[in-house]
Amino acid sequence: MADSSTSESHYFSSNPPPPTLSQHTAQANAFVTHHHAHSRRVVLLTSGGTTVPLENQTVRFIDNFSAGTRGATSAEYFLSQGYAVIFLHRQFSLLPFSRHYSHSTNCFLDFLSEWGRIGEGEEGEDGGAATPDVVVKAKYRREMLSVLRKYRKAKEQKLLLLLPFTTVTSYLFTLRAIACEMRCLGNEALFYLAAAVSDFFVPPDRMAEHKIQSGDVPESTSGPSPGGGGGGKKLVIDLDPVPKFLKRLVEQWAPEAMIVSFKLETDPALLLKKCNQSLDRYAHHLVIGNILATRKYEVLFVEEGSAQWVRLPTSDGNSGGNEEVEIESLIVPEVIKRHEKMLARKAAIH
Ligand code: 9Z3
Protein backbone atom coordinates (compact mmCIF):
# COMPACT_ATOMS: atom_id res chain seq x y z
CA MET A 1 0.00 0.00 0.00
CA ALA A 2 1.29 3.49 -0.86
CA ASP A 3 2.28 5.59 2.16
CA SER A 4 0.99 9.14 2.45
CA SER A 5 4.07 10.76 0.91
CA THR A 6 4.09 8.55 -2.20
CA SER A 7 0.34 9.01 -2.70
CA GLU A 8 0.80 12.77 -2.36
CA SER A 9 3.71 12.86 -4.83
CA HIS A 10 1.65 10.75 -7.19
CA TYR A 11 -1.28 13.14 -6.79
CA PHE A 12 0.82 16.13 -7.86
CA SER A 13 2.52 14.32 -10.72
CA SER A 14 -0.66 12.80 -12.13
CA ASN A 15 -3.03 15.79 -11.84
CA PRO A 16 -2.55 18.89 -13.97
CA PRO A 17 -1.65 22.12 -12.12
CA PRO A 18 -4.18 24.93 -12.51
CA PRO A 19 -3.36 27.38 -15.32
CA THR A 20 -3.33 30.22 -12.76
CA LEU A 21 -0.64 28.62 -10.59
CA SER A 22 2.39 30.62 -11.68
CA GLN A 23 0.48 33.90 -11.60
CA HIS A 24 -0.91 33.20 -8.10
CA THR A 25 2.50 32.09 -6.84
CA ALA A 26 4.09 35.31 -8.12
CA GLN A 27 1.36 37.39 -6.44
CA ALA A 28 1.86 35.51 -3.16
CA ASN A 29 5.63 35.97 -3.41
CA ALA A 30 5.31 39.76 -3.85
CA PHE A 31 2.76 39.97 -1.01
CA VAL A 32 4.86 37.92 1.42
CA THR A 33 8.07 39.79 0.55
CA HIS A 34 6.36 43.15 1.13
CA HIS A 35 4.91 42.22 4.52
CA HIS A 36 8.00 40.35 5.64
CA ALA A 37 10.00 43.56 5.02
CA HIS A 38 7.48 45.40 7.23
CA SER A 39 7.68 42.69 9.94
CA ARG A 40 3.98 42.01 9.61
CA ARG A 41 2.47 38.65 10.44
CA VAL A 42 0.76 36.91 7.54
CA VAL A 43 -2.16 34.50 7.72
CA LEU A 44 -3.08 32.18 4.89
CA LEU A 45 -6.79 31.76 5.27
CA THR A 46 -8.65 29.17 3.18
CA SER A 47 -12.37 29.50 2.61
CA GLY A 48 -15.33 27.94 0.81
CA GLY A 49 -15.91 24.53 -0.72
CA THR A 50 -13.91 22.68 -3.37
CA THR A 51 -15.46 21.09 -6.44
CA VAL A 52 -14.77 17.60 -7.76
CA PRO A 53 -15.22 17.62 -11.55
CA LEU A 54 -16.69 14.52 -13.19
CA GLU A 55 -15.54 15.48 -16.69
CA ASN A 56 -12.39 17.19 -18.03
CA GLN A 57 -14.55 19.60 -20.00
CA THR A 58 -16.60 20.08 -16.90
CA VAL A 59 -20.37 20.21 -17.07
CA ARG A 60 -21.02 18.26 -13.87
CA PHE A 61 -19.19 18.32 -10.57
CA ILE A 62 -19.64 17.37 -6.92
CA ASP A 63 -19.71 20.31 -4.52
CA ASN A 64 -20.47 21.04 -0.88
CA PHE A 65 -22.51 23.46 1.19
CA SER A 66 -19.82 25.95 2.25
CA ALA A 67 -20.58 29.58 1.35
CA GLY A 68 -17.32 30.87 2.83
CA THR A 69 -18.93 32.75 5.71
CA ARG A 70 -16.42 31.49 8.28
CA GLY A 71 -13.46 32.41 6.10
CA ALA A 72 -14.64 35.82 4.88
CA THR A 73 -15.71 36.88 8.37
CA SER A 74 -12.51 35.64 10.00
CA ALA A 75 -10.41 37.53 7.42
CA GLU A 76 -11.93 40.82 8.58
CA TYR A 77 -11.04 40.08 12.22
CA PHE A 78 -7.46 39.11 11.31
CA LEU A 79 -7.09 42.36 9.36
CA SER A 80 -8.42 44.34 12.31
CA GLN A 81 -5.69 42.74 14.46
CA GLY A 82 -2.88 43.83 12.11
CA TYR A 83 -2.36 40.62 10.13
CA ALA A 84 -1.87 40.65 6.38
CA VAL A 85 -4.27 38.11 4.85
CA ILE A 86 -3.86 35.81 1.88
CA PHE A 87 -7.45 34.79 1.21
CA LEU A 88 -7.43 31.52 -0.74
CA HIS A 89 -11.09 31.13 -1.54
CA ARG A 90 -13.54 29.30 -3.73
CA GLN A 91 -14.30 31.52 -6.67
CA PHE A 92 -17.61 33.42 -6.19
CA SER A 93 -17.89 32.49 -2.51
CA LEU A 94 -18.21 35.24 0.09
CA LEU A 95 -15.40 37.81 0.28
CA PRO A 96 -14.29 39.94 3.23
CA PHE A 97 -16.18 43.27 3.36
CA SER A 98 -18.32 42.74 0.25
CA ARG A 99 -19.93 39.78 2.07
CA HIS A 100 -22.10 42.34 3.91
CA TYR A 101 -23.74 43.30 0.64
CA SER A 102 -23.71 40.23 -1.54
CA HIS A 103 -25.60 37.03 -2.23
CA SER A 104 -29.32 36.56 -1.99
CA THR A 105 -29.69 37.17 1.74
CA ASN A 106 -27.94 40.55 1.57
CA CYS A 107 -28.68 41.80 -1.93
CA PHE A 108 -26.88 45.14 -2.30
CA LEU A 109 -29.87 46.64 -4.11
CA ASP A 110 -31.90 46.41 -0.89
CA PHE A 111 -29.49 48.88 0.70
CA LEU A 112 -30.15 51.54 -1.93
CA SER A 113 -32.95 53.90 -2.74
CA GLU A 114 -33.75 56.31 -5.52
CA TRP A 115 -33.50 59.99 -4.92
CA GLY A 116 -34.71 62.84 -7.10
CA ARG A 117 -32.43 65.85 -6.95
CA ILE A 118 -31.67 68.95 -8.92
CA GLY A 119 -28.83 68.24 -11.29
CA GLU A 120 -26.06 70.76 -11.92
CA GLY A 121 -27.20 73.49 -14.30
CA GLU A 122 -30.67 71.93 -14.58
CA GLU A 123 -34.04 73.07 -13.54
CA GLY A 124 -37.22 71.05 -13.48
CA GLU A 125 -40.47 72.28 -14.99
CA ASP A 126 -41.87 73.38 -11.69
CA GLY A 127 -38.56 74.63 -10.34
CA GLY A 128 -37.97 71.39 -8.36
CA ALA A 129 -36.26 68.96 -10.55
CA ALA A 130 -35.56 65.52 -10.85
CA THR A 131 -32.36 64.08 -12.08
CA PRO A 132 -32.76 60.66 -10.59
CA ASP A 133 -29.91 59.48 -8.41
CA VAL A 134 -29.13 56.54 -6.20
CA VAL A 135 -28.21 56.75 -2.52
CA VAL A 136 -27.65 54.44 0.43
CA LYS A 137 -30.74 54.27 2.64
CA ALA A 138 -30.21 56.36 5.76
CA LYS A 139 -30.55 53.46 8.19
CA TYR A 140 -27.63 51.59 6.58
CA ARG A 141 -25.25 54.52 6.04
CA ARG A 142 -23.31 54.42 9.29
CA GLU A 143 -22.53 50.73 9.04
CA MET A 144 -21.72 50.89 5.35
CA LEU A 145 -19.31 53.77 5.94
CA SER A 146 -17.52 51.72 8.58
CA VAL A 147 -17.25 48.68 6.25
CA LEU A 148 -16.13 50.92 3.38
CA ARG A 149 -13.35 52.49 5.48
CA LYS A 150 -11.99 49.12 6.57
CA TYR A 151 -12.16 47.82 3.01
CA ARG A 152 -10.30 50.84 1.63
CA LYS A 153 -7.65 50.66 4.33
CA ALA A 154 -7.02 46.98 3.52
CA LYS A 155 -6.81 47.84 -0.16
CA GLU A 156 -4.62 50.93 0.13
CA GLN A 157 -2.18 49.24 2.50
CA LYS A 158 -2.18 46.07 0.37
CA LEU A 159 -3.15 43.95 3.37
CA LEU A 160 -5.47 41.57 1.56
CA LEU A 161 -4.58 39.26 -1.32
CA LEU A 162 -7.54 37.47 -2.92
CA LEU A 163 -6.65 34.21 -4.68
CA PRO A 164 -9.49 32.08 -6.09
CA PHE A 165 -9.71 28.31 -6.68
CA THR A 166 -12.52 26.05 -7.88
CA THR A 167 -11.51 22.39 -7.86
CA VAL A 168 -9.95 20.41 -5.05
CA THR A 169 -6.86 19.95 -7.24
CA SER A 170 -6.40 23.66 -7.89
CA TYR A 171 -6.86 24.27 -4.15
CA LEU A 172 -4.10 21.80 -3.24
CA PHE A 173 -1.60 22.97 -5.86
CA THR A 174 -2.09 26.58 -4.78
CA LEU A 175 -1.94 25.78 -1.06
CA ARG A 176 1.38 24.00 -1.55
CA ALA A 177 2.85 26.82 -3.63
CA ILE A 178 1.82 29.58 -1.22
CA ALA A 179 2.99 27.62 1.82
CA CYS A 180 6.43 27.39 0.24
CA GLU A 181 6.42 31.13 -0.50
CA MET A 182 5.57 31.77 3.17
CA ARG A 183 8.47 29.74 4.56
CA CYS A 184 10.63 32.85 4.91
CA LEU A 185 8.15 34.14 7.55
CA GLY A 186 9.06 31.30 9.92
CA ASN A 187 6.66 31.21 12.86
CA GLU A 188 5.21 34.63 12.01
CA ALA A 189 3.15 32.71 9.45
CA LEU A 190 -0.25 31.37 10.40
CA PHE A 191 -2.41 28.88 8.49
CA TYR A 192 -6.16 29.00 9.19
CA LEU A 193 -7.71 26.23 7.13
CA ALA A 194 -11.44 26.92 7.07
CA ALA A 195 -12.12 25.70 3.52
CA ALA A 196 -14.38 22.65 3.26
CA VAL A 197 -12.10 20.38 1.25
CA SER A 198 -13.38 17.28 -0.50
CA ASP A 199 -11.99 13.99 0.79
CA PHE A 200 -12.60 12.25 -2.56
CA PHE A 201 -11.89 12.98 -6.22
CA VAL A 202 -11.95 11.38 -9.68
CA PRO A 203 -8.35 10.57 -10.73
CA PRO A 204 -7.31 11.71 -14.23
CA ASP A 205 -7.15 8.19 -15.67
CA ARG A 206 -10.85 7.64 -14.88
CA MET A 207 -12.07 11.10 -15.82
CA ALA A 208 -14.36 11.38 -18.86
CA GLU A 209 -13.16 13.97 -21.39
CA HIS A 210 -16.63 15.07 -22.53
CA LYS A 211 -20.01 15.45 -20.89
CA ILE A 212 -21.22 12.10 -19.58
CA GLN A 213 -24.16 11.07 -21.80
CA SER A 214 -27.17 9.70 -19.95
CA GLY A 215 -27.75 7.31 -22.86
CA ASP A 216 -24.30 5.77 -22.35
CA VAL A 217 -24.88 4.97 -18.69
CA PRO A 218 -25.12 1.17 -18.30
CA GLU A 219 -28.05 -0.80 -16.94
CA SER A 220 -27.56 -1.63 -13.29
CA THR A 221 -27.01 -5.30 -12.55
CA SER A 222 -29.08 -4.90 -9.38
CA GLY A 223 -32.09 -3.62 -11.37
CA PRO A 224 -34.08 -0.44 -10.74
CA SER A 225 -34.20 1.01 -7.22
CA PRO A 226 -37.62 1.04 -5.56
CA GLY A 227 -39.21 4.38 -6.39
CA GLY A 228 -36.45 5.21 -8.88
CA GLY A 229 -37.10 6.06 -12.52
CA GLY A 230 -34.82 5.52 -15.50
CA GLY A 231 -35.62 1.85 -16.00
CA GLY A 232 -32.65 0.51 -14.04
CA LYS A 233 -29.88 2.74 -15.45
CA LYS A 234 -27.40 3.94 -12.84
CA LEU A 235 -24.56 6.44 -12.95
CA VAL A 236 -22.00 4.99 -10.55
CA ILE A 237 -19.19 7.37 -9.64
CA ASP A 238 -15.96 5.78 -8.49
CA LEU A 239 -13.93 8.18 -6.34
CA ASP A 240 -10.44 7.86 -4.83
CA PRO A 241 -9.49 9.39 -1.49
CA VAL A 242 -7.59 12.68 -1.68
CA PRO A 243 -4.21 12.10 0.02
CA LYS A 244 -3.89 13.65 3.49
CA PHE A 245 -2.10 16.92 2.81
CA LEU A 246 -2.14 18.28 6.32
CA LYS A 247 0.75 16.01 7.19
CA ARG A 248 2.88 17.37 4.36
CA LEU A 249 1.93 20.95 5.26
CA VAL A 250 2.97 20.46 8.87
CA GLU A 251 6.14 18.52 8.19
CA GLN A 252 7.49 19.97 4.97
CA TRP A 253 5.67 22.88 3.39
CA ALA A 254 5.40 25.04 6.52
CA PRO A 255 7.39 23.39 9.32
CA GLU A 256 7.77 26.54 11.44
CA ALA A 257 4.34 28.09 10.99
CA MET A 258 1.38 27.85 13.33
CA ILE A 259 -1.27 25.62 11.76
CA VAL A 260 -4.94 25.68 12.66
CA SER A 261 -7.35 23.30 10.95
CA PHE A 262 -11.12 23.03 11.16
CA LYS A 263 -13.04 19.79 11.57
CA LEU A 264 -16.64 19.57 10.48
CA GLU A 265 -19.04 16.89 11.70
CA THR A 266 -22.80 16.48 11.81
CA ASP A 267 -22.94 14.03 14.73
CA PRO A 268 -22.02 15.80 18.01
CA ALA A 269 -21.00 12.47 19.56
CA LEU A 270 -18.09 12.22 17.10
CA LEU A 271 -16.68 15.73 17.22
CA LEU A 272 -14.14 15.54 20.05
CA LYS A 273 -12.89 12.14 18.98
CA LYS A 274 -12.37 13.29 15.38
CA CYS A 275 -10.59 16.48 16.46
CA ASN A 276 -8.23 14.49 18.69
CA GLN A 277 -7.64 12.02 15.90
CA SER A 278 -6.65 14.83 13.55
CA LEU A 279 -4.32 16.34 16.16
CA ASP A 280 -2.68 12.95 16.83
CA ARG A 281 -2.29 12.22 13.15
CA TYR A 282 -0.84 15.54 12.00
CA ALA A 283 0.69 16.92 15.21
CA HIS A 284 -0.23 20.52 14.36
CA HIS A 285 -1.22 23.21 16.84
CA LEU A 286 -4.97 23.50 17.02
CA VAL A 287 -8.10 21.87 15.64
CA ILE A 288 -11.32 23.87 15.74
CA GLY A 289 -14.26 21.48 15.68
CA ASN A 290 -17.73 22.50 14.58
CA ILE A 291 -21.10 20.90 13.99
CA LEU A 292 -22.89 21.80 10.77
CA ALA A 293 -26.12 22.88 12.50
CA THR A 294 -24.52 24.97 15.26
CA ARG A 295 -21.33 26.23 13.57
CA LYS A 296 -22.42 29.87 13.81
CA TYR A 297 -22.89 29.71 17.58
CA GLU A 298 -20.28 27.36 19.00
CA VAL A 299 -16.94 25.76 18.16
CA LEU A 300 -14.64 23.42 20.05
CA PHE A 301 -10.94 24.34 20.44
CA VAL A 302 -8.92 21.14 20.70
CA GLU A 303 -5.21 21.27 21.55
CA GLU A 304 -2.82 18.78 23.02
CA GLY A 305 -4.33 17.85 26.37
CA SER A 306 -7.28 20.24 26.32
CA ALA A 307 -10.66 20.89 24.74
CA GLN A 308 -12.58 24.09 25.25
CA TRP A 309 -15.90 25.32 23.86
CA VAL A 310 -16.05 28.85 22.48
CA ARG A 311 -19.68 29.92 22.45
CA LEU A 312 -21.68 33.01 21.65
CA PRO A 313 -23.46 34.30 24.70
CA THR A 314 -27.13 35.21 24.30
CA SER A 315 -28.92 37.97 26.12
CA ASP A 316 -30.43 35.40 28.52
CA GLY A 317 -27.02 33.93 29.25
CA ASN A 318 -27.50 30.71 27.29
CA SER A 319 -25.46 29.79 24.28
CA GLY A 320 -26.62 29.98 20.72
CA GLY A 321 -28.42 32.34 18.45
CA ASN A 322 -27.07 35.82 19.13
CA GLU A 323 -27.56 37.42 15.73
CA GLU A 324 -25.56 40.56 16.44
CA VAL A 325 -22.26 39.01 17.49
CA GLU A 326 -20.30 36.95 14.98
CA ILE A 327 -18.59 33.93 16.48
CA GLU A 328 -15.46 34.74 14.45
CA SER A 329 -15.06 37.82 16.69
CA LEU A 330 -14.37 35.30 19.48
CA ILE A 331 -12.52 32.66 17.44
CA VAL A 332 -9.91 34.93 15.84
CA PRO A 333 -8.64 36.60 19.07
CA GLU A 334 -8.39 33.14 20.69
CA VAL A 335 -6.29 31.93 17.75
CA ILE A 336 -4.10 35.04 17.84
CA LYS A 337 -3.56 34.59 21.59
CA ARG A 338 -2.17 31.13 20.86
CA HIS A 339 -0.04 32.40 17.96
CA GLU A 340 1.45 35.05 20.27
CA LYS A 341 2.20 32.48 22.94
CA MET A 342 3.99 30.35 20.36
CA LEU A 343 6.02 33.34 19.14
CA ALA A 344 6.97 34.23 22.72
CA ARG A 345 8.04 30.64 23.45
CA LYS A 346 10.18 30.51 20.31
CA ALA A 347 11.71 33.93 21.09
CA ALA A 348 12.60 32.72 24.61
CA ILE A 349 14.43 29.71 23.17
CA HIS A 350 16.56 31.80 20.78
C1 9Z3 B 1 -15.03 24.12 8.55
O1 9Z3 B 1 -15.28 23.30 9.38
C2 9Z3 B 1 -15.73 25.48 8.46
O2 9Z3 B 1 -15.95 25.99 9.73
C3 9Z3 B 1 -17.07 25.40 7.68
C4 9Z3 B 1 -17.62 26.82 7.54
C5 9Z3 B 1 -16.83 24.81 6.30
C6 9Z3 B 1 -18.09 24.56 8.44
P1 9Z3 B 1 -19.26 28.19 6.03
O3 9Z3 B 1 -18.33 28.32 4.87
O4 9Z3 B 1 -18.82 26.87 6.84
O5 9Z3 B 1 -19.15 29.35 6.97
O6 9Z3 B 1 -20.68 27.92 5.59
N1 9Z3 B 1 -14.07 23.89 7.60
C7 9Z3 B 1 -13.23 22.71 7.52
C8 9Z3 B 1 -13.89 21.49 6.98
C9 9Z3 B 1 -12.90 20.49 6.46
O7 9Z3 B 1 -13.03 20.10 5.34
N2 9Z3 B 1 -11.92 20.05 7.25
C10 9Z3 B 1 -11.06 18.93 6.88
C11 9Z3 B 1 -11.56 17.72 7.60
O8 9Z3 B 1 -12.49 17.82 8.41
C12 9Z3 B 1 -9.63 19.14 7.34
S1 9Z3 B 1 -8.81 20.55 6.79
O9 9Z3 B 1 -11.02 16.62 7.37
Side-chain angles (χ1 to χ4, degrees):
M1 209 177 82
D3 68 14
S4 70
S5 67
T6 53
S7 59
E8 180 238 305
S9 308
H10 179 70
Y11 185 89
F12 283 119
S13 59
S14 60
N15 284 281
T20 49
L21 187 64
S22 56
Q23 183 204 334
H24 287 168
T25 309
Q27 284 177 273
N29 175 284
F31 188 84
V32 168
T33 307
H34 174 76
H35 292 295
H36 189 33
H38 289 80
S39 306
R40 199 171 277 123
R41 292 181 206 151
V42 179
V43 57
L44 172 63
L45 204 156
T46 71
S47 182
T50 58
T51 68
V52 175
L54 303 185
E55 299 124 345
N56 265 331
Q57 299 193 37
T58 309
V59 174
R60 301 187 179 94
F61 54 84
I62 300 171
D63 203 351
N64 67 53
F65 71 97
S66 171
T69 311
R70 172 85 76 230
T73 311
S74 300
E76 291 179 21
Y77 289 106
F78 275 112
L79 287 165
S80 76
Q81 297 300 309
Y83 280 70
V85 177
I86 301 178
F87 191 67
L88 181 59
H89 65 283
R90 163 72 180 278
Q91 189 173 35
F92 307 128
S93 64
L94 291 174
L95 294 177
F97 306 116
S98 73
R99 73 179 170 101
H100 299 275
Y101 309 105
S102 57
H103 286 233
S104 48
T105 45
N106 273 344
C107 174
F108 76 99
L109 292 171
D110 291 331
F111 292 82
L112 305 175
S113 65
E114 208 173 315
W115 179 266
R117 67 167 173 86
I118 300 172
E120 241 179 289
E122 286 179 354
E123 202 173 308
E125 269 176 4
D126 55 0
T131 301
D133 205 349
V134 66
V135 290
V136 175
K137 288 179 187 165
K139 62 179 172 179
Y140 299 123
R141 265 180 227 156
R142 187 200 287 255
E143 205 208 315
M144 195 179 276
L145 183 62
S146 151
V147 173
L148 179 68
R149 283 184 177 151
K150 289 182 214 160
Y151 168 74
R152 289 180 57 178
K153 179 180 168 208
K155 224 176 155 170
E156 281 157 15
Q157 299 186 6
K158 300 188 171 62
L159 292 167
L160 178 60
L161 176 64
L162 304 177
L163 298 178
F165 62 80
T166 305
T167 66
V168 62
T169 305
S170 63
Y171 167 81
L172 290 169
F173 268 99
T174 315
L175 175 67
R176 180 176 73 162
I178 302 173
C180 296
E181 294 302 325
M182 287 173 71
R183 246 187 241 148
C184 63
L185 298 164
N187 44 38
E188 299 275 326
L190 173 61
F191 288 74
Y192 183 92
L193 306 171
V197 183
S198 172
D199 288 327
F200 296 96
F201 78 115
V202 181
D205 57 343
R206 292 209 301 274
M207 180 97 84
E209 175 60 26
H210 293 286
K211 183 187 160 201
I212 298 168
Q213 298 294 321
S214 55
D216 295 347
V217 170
E219 295 288 327
S220 161
T221 48
S222 58
S225 313
K233 279 181 180 290
K234 278 202 174 87
L235 174 60
V236 178
I237 300 168
D238 187 9
L239 302 169
D240 279 5
V242 171
K244 298 293 180 196
F245 288 91
L246 207 42
K247 195 167 182 58
R248 267 292 169 106
L249 180 69
V250 174
E251 290 177 359
Q252 293 177 17
W253 303 345
E256 290 185 77
M258 174 163 178
I259 297 176
V260 179
S261 71
F262 280 78
K263 185 76 181 164
L264 174 68
E265 292 297 334
T266 54
D267 179 356
L270 291 180
L271 189 63
L272 179 59
K273 190 175 105 189
K274 290 306 209 75
C275 290
N276 274 321
Q277 225 169 52
S278 172
L279 214 52
D280 283 351
R281 193 171 286 162
Y282 308 117
H284 56 307
H285 302 87
L286 169 66
V287 180
I288 303 178
N290 51 178
I291 295 294
L292 183 65
T294 58
R295 68 190 189 282
K296 299 204 170 157
Y297 315 121
E298 56 180 16
V299 297
L300 181 62
F301 271 54
V302 181
E303 298 162 279
E304 210 189 330
S306 85
Q308 177 201 332
W309 282 100
V310 172
R311 290 191 164 108
L312 277 188
T314 52
S315 41
D316 63 5
N318 296 319
S319 67
N322 187 334
E323 294 284 304
E324 263 139 55
V325 186
E326 297 173 313
I327 192 159
E328 291 77 11
S329 71
L330 306 181
I331 298 174
V332 171
E334 284 294 327
V335 169
I336 293 178
K337 209 156 70 182
R338 285 157 176 81
H339 191 200
E340 274 164 1
K341 250 194 208 159
M342 174 182 157
L343 290 170
R345 260 198 321 268
K346 294 267 160 85
I349 294 168
H350 290 115

